[in-house]
Amino acid sequence: MRNFHVGTITGIPIRLNITFVIFLPVLAWLISRPAQLAAYAGFVASISPHEVDIALLQTGNTPIVIGVAAALGLFVGVLLHELGHSWTARRYGITITSITLWIFGGMAHMEDLPEDWNVEFYVALAGPAMSVLVAAVCYALLFVVPAQPVVVFVIGWLAVINLTLAIFNMIPAFPMDGGRVLRALLARSRPYAEATQTAAAVGKGMAILLAVVAVLAFAPIMLLVAMFVYVAAGAESRATVMRDLLADMTARDLMSTDLRTVTPETTVDEFLDRVVTERTTAYPVMDKGTVTGLVTLSTVRNVDSTKRSSTTVADVMGPAPPSVGPDDDAFEAMRTLGESKGDRVLVIEDGRFVGQITSEDFLSAIEVLQGIGTRRVDIEAPDGYA
């Protein structure tokens, strides 16, 4: 999904996902509903030194003002939560490539995920600790801000919601911080992949429990969160096992050096002849030693048969696949392939196209590695989800 770059904080790019842009006004509306205002007013009144007049908060356009201010304040809190992770990760030498805010909160993207249990433990705890700090600051502000009903309500609400965010994130379920804390503690005495599988199983159990509560409470947003947690737990487990399987392997170990390419001037007719004779349905397009695109059988399918002799692959080719270096980590190459949503990555060395790795190459390598006793790893999560 599309992301929008909105700025940089301490050298970390900040992005807004399109789901965030869509969900923000929905969240503001949800907060501004009379029933929600009344419910939150009770919590704010319990911690505020000032009286909270619910009738005044529900007058005229005040609910909308509160909803917008509270929604923006919440995502500032989420951003600070992710910065807590990011700043702590930096102290351990981990590069943060960006922070993305989206419908389910935020995500700090790390160039290298920590595998030392103590590093992951502190990085995971830093986010909830930041949320607790934000809640404490908001609570302290209640004693110094003017007794203006809207200001008091919004600041008090932010104190409550940031504390709730910290507690909720400590639920032991991926991708929340509690799941990573659990994995870090488990990894003290067992292999990282095994610790991940156990933590993922616990996370799926928590997701099922959360879904049951959501159904009983008629809370559709909570149900969506539960579904997301369940899927994310399985994805985390599989990704970790794949990384373990591909440990110590590079792109060079997996790449195919059978470099079948076409030139931009190749006609569609000539391309189809090669598809039939070579039984290959996708070819990188090579122009003066550089791969400039990719042409596939599906790409040329819509070319009129009467124009195939005059249409070149340059007219119909798609963009060039992403590239990696031959000495790049094999798992990173697989992650690059997944992020591109394509079926291959090119291997480029000193500007030269020296090989490619397709999704089939990865599957074959994983199948072989699973069959080797010294690298045998069950790629299924403990509950059977693959």
Side-chain angles (χ1 to χ4, degrees), residues 350-366:
D350 298 329
R352 296 181 299 109
F353 173 42
V354 295
Q356 63 181 357
I357 312 174
T358 65
S359 53
E360 289 79 9
D361 292 328
F362 280 115
L363 290 174
S364 297
I366 290 166

Side-chain angles (χ1 to χ4, degrees), residues 240-293:
T240 302
V241 172
M242 290 304 101
R243 182 165 54 180
D244 189 69
L245 272 172
L246 298 173
D248 304 321
M249 298 188 70
T250 65
R252 191 188 304 275
D253 297 323
L254 299 179
M255 72 181 189
S256 166
T257 55
D258 182 9
L259 306 181
R260 300 183 183 185
T261 63
V262 294
T263 63
E265 296 78 20
T266 302
T267 67
V268 171
D269 265 342
E270 292 170 336
F271 168 78
L272 291 173
D273 286 341
R274 290 191 60 179
V275 168
V276 172
T277 58
E278 298 177 2
R279 289 179 172 79
T280 299
T281 59
Y283 291 81
V285 181
M286 182 78 77
D287 186 16
K288 298 178 182 178
T290 301
V291 177
T292 58

Side-chain angles (χ1 to χ4, degrees), residues 121-140:
F121 180 79
Y122 289 116
V123 171
L125 279 182
M130 177 65 81
S131 294
V132 171
L133 178 61
V134 172
V137 170
C138 290
Y139 175 71

Side-chain angles (χ1 to χ4, degrees), residues 49-263:
H50 306 294
E51 183 179 347
V52 178
D53 187 344
I54 184 60
L56 188 60
L57 296 178
Q58 295 176 339
T59 302
N61 292 326
T62 303
I64 296 298
V65 173
I66 291 174
V68 171
L72 291 174
L74 171 60
F75 277 95
V76 169
V78 171
L79 177 59
L80 289 171
H81 178 105
E82 297 304 325
L83 285 169
H85 289 307
S86 302
W87 291 333
T88 305
R90 277 182 166 181
R91 294 193 61 180
Y92 289 100
I94 299 171
T95 300
I96 307 298
T97 56
S98 66
I99 291 175
T100 302
L101 300 181
W102 66 313
I103 187 171
F104 289 119
M107 185 177 299
H109 302 276
M110 301 181 186
E111 193 171 88
D112 298 302
L113 296 178
E115 289 195 18
D116 293 337
W117 76 266
N118 57 329
V119 174
E120 180 168 40
F121 180 79
Y122 289 116
V123 171
L125 279 182
M130 177 65 81
S131 294
V132 171
L133 178 61
V134 172
V137 170
C138 290
Y139 175 71
L141 285 175
L142 288 173
F143 292 87
V144 297
V145 298
Q148 207 284 334
V150 172
V151 174
V152 170
F153 179 87
V154 171
I155 292 177
W157 184 86
L158 289 173
V160 172
I161 209 69
N162 276 283
L163 181 60
T164 304
L165 177 66
I167 295 171
F168 182 76
N169 262 281
M170 287 307 295
I171 293 175
F174 288 121
M176 293 183 291
D177 302 322
R180 303 192 184 282
V181 169
L182 175 60
R183 175 170 64 185
L185 294 175
L186 291 171
R188 291 182 302 172
S189 57
R190 64 184 72 186
Y192 192 75
E194 183 183 332
T196 301
Q197 288 184 312
T198 302
V202 173
K204 287 183 178 182
M206 295 299 300
I208 293 171
L209 180 61
L210 189 64
V212 171
V213 172
V215 170
L216 294 177
F218 300 101
I221 292 180
M222 185 185 295
L223 182 60
L224 286 175
V225 171
M227 294 169 61
F228 168 70
V229 168
Y230 187 91
V231 172
E236 183 80 24
S237 178
R238 292 194 303 277
T240 302
V241 172
M242 290 304 101
R243 182 165 54 180
D244 189 69
L245 272 172
L246 298 173
D248 304 321
M249 298 188 70
T250 65
R252 191 188 304 275
D253 297 323
L254 299 179
M255 72 181 189
S256 166
T257 55
D258 182 9
L259 306 181
R260 300 183 183 185
T261 63
V262 294
T263 63

Side-chain angles (χ1 to χ4, degrees), residues 361-386:
D361 292 328
F362 280 115
L363 290 174
S364 297
I366 290 166
E367 184 178 359
V368 170
L369 291 172
Q370 282 189 292
I372 299 175
T374 56
R375 281 181 169 259
R376 179 69 186 178
V377 178
D378 183 4
I379 66 171
E380 292 187 349
D383 62 358
Y385 178 76

